[in-house]
Amino acid sequence: MSRAYNEMYLDDAMRNLGEAVDYAVNSCGLAADEFSGMFMATGIAHRFGMGEPKLVSGMSGIELVMFVMREAGAEDYIREARYGYELSKEYWSGYSAAYYQWYKGCSFKKMFNSMKLSKLISLYNTLHEASLEKTVDVIDKRSLPDKNVNKIKEKRILCGMTQKELSENSGVNLRTLQQYETDAKDINKAGARMVAYLALALGCRVEDLLDIK
């Protein structure tokens, strides 16, 4: 599997993201998913995931959070760090998230769309003494898409789009889109052009949206 950066930087990346989540939640008072949202929206998550040295090892986790907040225009949330004697569940979640993203070679956006950071934190009691490989396996199993979930809806959520945004980006009427997402209309019977426009807007293949047995 091709990974975005060399393993020699992985320990720094894991420690820094662990410290970042701990500081953002426990010192700055941000909700975990609020921080991960800022992390992704600013583009810093993508740069971190690609192994930009400045971000994965050139600054501390606290400095990383401050950088994210400034880029997000949220400087008012910056607080003095509060240090504890034990590693927190938030630290563990950031540490594990950095390993998962590197190990799987995926983006943080894809990871957090499949499993929110708050949900990862909730797995602390179950997994904090387990190996990182076990943690990866459990995250994969718990983030598998529901087979009963509509394919268009699933892809849209993974892309972080609302129904209205997908309608605007694809040119498909909002009411029609809603009918396809609720299976009131059969996407297999839709016009080829409409399905192609949806696939283009969602960044997937046409066949990914069809219910092919």
Side-chain angles (χ1 to χ4, degrees):
M1 178 185 295
S2 177
R3 298 189 171 105
Y5 58 93
N6 193 289
E7 190 173 359
M8 66 182 290
Y9 297 109
L10 180 59
D11 283 344
D12 284 345
M14 292 165 64
R15 285 194 297 268
N16 284 348
L17 193 57
E19 184 180 65
V21 177
D22 178 74
Y23 170 67
V25 174
N26 295 319
S27 293
C28 299
L30 289 174
D33 296 333
E34 187 176 8
F35 169 68
S36 63
M38 289 183 187
F39 188 44
M40 291 184 289
T42 56
I44 295 171
H46 174 72
R47 293 164 58 187
F48 188 100
M50 294 302 293
E52 186 173 317
K54 171 186 173 182
L55 300 178
V56 298
S57 61
M59 59 175 65
S60 69
I62 293 174
E63 290 170 332
L64 177 64
V65 174
M66 291 180 176
F67 182 41
V68 169
M69 289 182 175
R70 292 190 182 103
E71 290 295 300
E75 294 95 332
D76 290 346
Y77 284 102
I78 295 175
R79 298 288 186 273
E80 183 177 349
R82 294 185 298 176
Y83 295 98
Y85 291 103
E86 296 182 0
L87 297 181
S88 68
K89 59 185 179 181
E90 290 80 15
Y91 180 98
W92 172 85
S93 71
Y95 186 90
S96 300
Y99 181 81
Y100 182 92
Q101 183 272 330
W102 176 84
Y103 183 84
K104 300 295 289 188
C106 66
S107 67
F108 281 108
K109 181 178 180 180
K110 181 176 181 180
M111 177 186 176
F112 289 138
N113 279 335
S114 297
M115 172 174 283
K116 291 184 177 181
L117 184 57
S118 57
K119 183 177 179 182
L120 180 58
I121 290 172
S122 74
L123 297 177
Y124 172 79
N125 289 335
T126 303
L127 293 174
H128 74 281
E129 293 183 347
S131 67
L132 288 167
E133 289 74 17
K134 174 66 174 178
T135 299
V136 167
D137 185 50
V138 171
I139 291 174
D140 278 342
K141 289 179 179 177
R142 296 206 178 193
S143 61
L144 285 173
D146 186 340
K147 293 180 180 178
N148 295 318
V149 172
N150 177 275
K151 291 184 177 182
I152 298 174
K153 181 177 180 179
E154 179 188 341
K155 296 293 184 185
R156 174 177 62 76
I157 291 173
L158 284 174
C159 289
M161 277 192 275
T162 64
Q163 288 182 332
K164 183 178 179 181
E165 288 171 336
L166 178 54
S167 173
E168 292 172 349
N169 292 342
S170 65
V172 175
N173 177 272
L174 178 58
R175 178 58 183 154
T176 300
L177 174 61
Q178 290 169 339
Q179 290 174 324
Y180 283 128
E181 284 204 2
T182 58
D183 294 319
K185 283 189 173 183
D186 186 353
I187 188 63
N188 289 339
K189 296 179 180 178
R193 180 173 295 180
M194 179 183 293
V195 181
Y197 285 151
L198 283 170
L200 183 62
L202 292 167
C204 66
R205 303 173 302 170
V206 167
E207 51 265 41
D208 292 333
L209 303 179
L210 301 177
D211 187 15
I212 302 173
K213 303 298 183 182

